[in-house]
Amino acid sequence: MRKIRNLAMMLLALFVAQGVVAQSRTSSVVVTDSMTIKTVVTRIPKFTPKHDIRVGVGTLSLPTILMLDEGDYYEDVDRNFADQMANADTYRTARRFIGNYTLTYTYQDRRWLQYGGTVAFGASTRKRKDIHTHKEIENLDRYMLSVMPTVRFSWFYRERVQLYSAVSVALVTDFDGLYLWGDATLFGCAFGRKFFGFAEFGVGMSGWCRAGIGYKFNAVKKQK
Amino acid sequence: MRRYFSILMVALATTLLSACELESADIGPTSYAERLLWNRVADGLKVEHGYMQIVVDLNEIMINNNAYMATFGRLSSVSSEEGEYTLVYNISSYHKEIYSIQTGGKRLDEGAEWSLYAWEDNIGFSKQYIGTATGVEGQTNKFHFSSGNPTWSPYSFCVAQESDVEYVLNEGTRSCDLTMTNISGVSTDSAYSDYTIEYHSLQPILFKRAQIISGKMDILYKDLVRKSERATIVEVKNQIATYAENK
C-alpha cells in the first residue's frame, strides 16, 4: 500500500515538475552559415490566464459498464411468480450504449495547471416489448450522471498544441444510488488556438477514449 | 477548415465506436405465460396425486388384504389403532414420510369419510391436515378428494382442490392409473400472495406412473396487485401440452 502511495506521489511530482519546466521555458535558436554563428534568444511572452470550455464524447470504461449494463443475472434473480407472469410473452431489445458525454470547464492560471469541473452523462437504451404486438411495455434505459472536480496538468505547452494529464474525483449517480468514483486522463492532447479539438486516453467515468472540441479565451485582457 | 474537419471525424468515429451493443436482444419464447401457468397447475396436480395414492394404498389394503402393498411394495409399514391407520413410506435410506388416515372404522366403499394427515417433523412431530377422501357406496375404486389450503406442504406453493377420483391397478405394468374428474382448484404462494391461479377440468386428467398423460384444463390467472387477468386452455395428449388463449 505504501509503495503504491509513494509511486502516486512520484507521478504527481513528475507532473508538477514537467509543468514548471513548461512554465519557465525559454527558447534558444542557433543560426549558422559558413562564416558566422548567431544565437537568438527569445523569451516566452507572459502567460495570460484562460477559461477553457470543452464538450466531448467518450467510449465505455469499467465503471460505466457497471453503471449502464446491469446484466441478465441481476435482472432475473429472485423474481417471483407474479413478476415472471407479468414479463411473460415479452422480450427485451438489445442494450446499446449511446455514448458518454462530458462538459468540462477549467480555469488555467499557469501554463502547467488548470482546475475546474466536469459533468459527464452516459446512457444505454433497452426496451421490453410485447412478443405479439411489439409494442413497448417497459423502458429499461439506464442513465448515469457524474460531477467531477478536475485538475489538469499540461506537461507540454505551446499555443497550438498541449499535451496533458488530468485527475478527477467523481460523485456519480445512476438515479438509484450515489457513488464515489474517479477519472484520470493518462494522456491527452489538444490542437488549436481558440477553437481546438482534443483526444484523450484514460480510465474512469469519462471512458477509455475521449474526443471532442473546445473553446478557450483569455480571462483578463492581454497585457502589452 | 481541414483541422476542424479532422476533429469532427475523430469525434464521429468515437461516437460510432461508443454506440456498441452491451447485451443482445432476448429471443422471446412463445406461450411462455401459458407454460408457466400449466407447469404450476401440473405441479399442484402431482402433489394432489401423491396424496390420493396414499388413500388408494389404504383402500387396497382394507379391501384386498394388503394385496396392493405386496404387489407394488411402496409402503414399508402399516399399523392401525382404533380406526386410525399410520402408513410409513421409505422414500430413501435416510428419509421417510409418515401419513395418518382417520377412517372412523369404515371403508370407502361403505361411504366413509377419511381424513388424511401428514406427520411433519421440522418443528417436532405434529400432525398436519392434508385433505378428506369421501367414498362412494358400492364403489371400491372411486372417491372424492378434497384438500383445503394445507398448512403443511413440502412445496413453495399451496393448492386447494376438489376432484372425483377413479383408479385402476395395473399389475402388468406395476402401476396405478388414476383419473381425476370434475377438478376445481386454486393454486397460490401463500395466504398473502399477490396472485391466484384458478383451474377447472374440461376433460378428465389421466395419470400413469405419476405422470399426466392426457386431459384438458381451463386456467385463469389473476394478478391481485396489477389487477390483470390471463386465461388459457391447456390440452394434454400423450404427455404433450398445447395451449390456446381463452378469451
Side-chain angles (χ1 to χ4, degrees), chain B residues 146-160:
Chain B
S146 164
S147 64
N149 281 326
T151 52
W152 178 85
S153 170
Y155 303 92
S156 59
F157 58 91
C158 50
V159 179

Side-chain angles (χ1 to χ4, degrees), chain A residues 24-98:
Chain A
S24 59
R25 184 176 60 86
T26 57
S27 172
S28 301
V29 180
V30 178
V31 182
T32 61
D33 57 30
S34 57
M35 297 299 291
T36 56
I37 297 173
K38 186 181 171 188
T39 302
V40 179
V41 178
T42 54
R43 287 185 67 81
I44 298 297
K46 195 177 178 193
F47 178 75
T48 310
K50 288 178 171 57
H51 296 293
D52 183 313
I53 298 168
R54 301 174 180 214
V55 286
V57 60
T59 61
L60 283 167
S61 63
L62 181 65
T64 52
I65 287 173
L66 290 174
M67 293 273 175
L68 299 177
D69 181 12
E70 79 282 12
D72 281 335
Y73 175 78
Y74 295 104
E75 192 158 294
D76 285 344
V77 75
D78 283 336
R79 271 170 45 194
N80 63 27
F81 188 83
D83 287 342
Q84 287 184 56
M85 279 299 295
N87 291 332
D89 286 3
T90 65
Y91 68 96
R92 294 173 299 172
T93 59
R95 179 169 290 285
R96 289 188 180 282
F97 174 64
I98 57 166

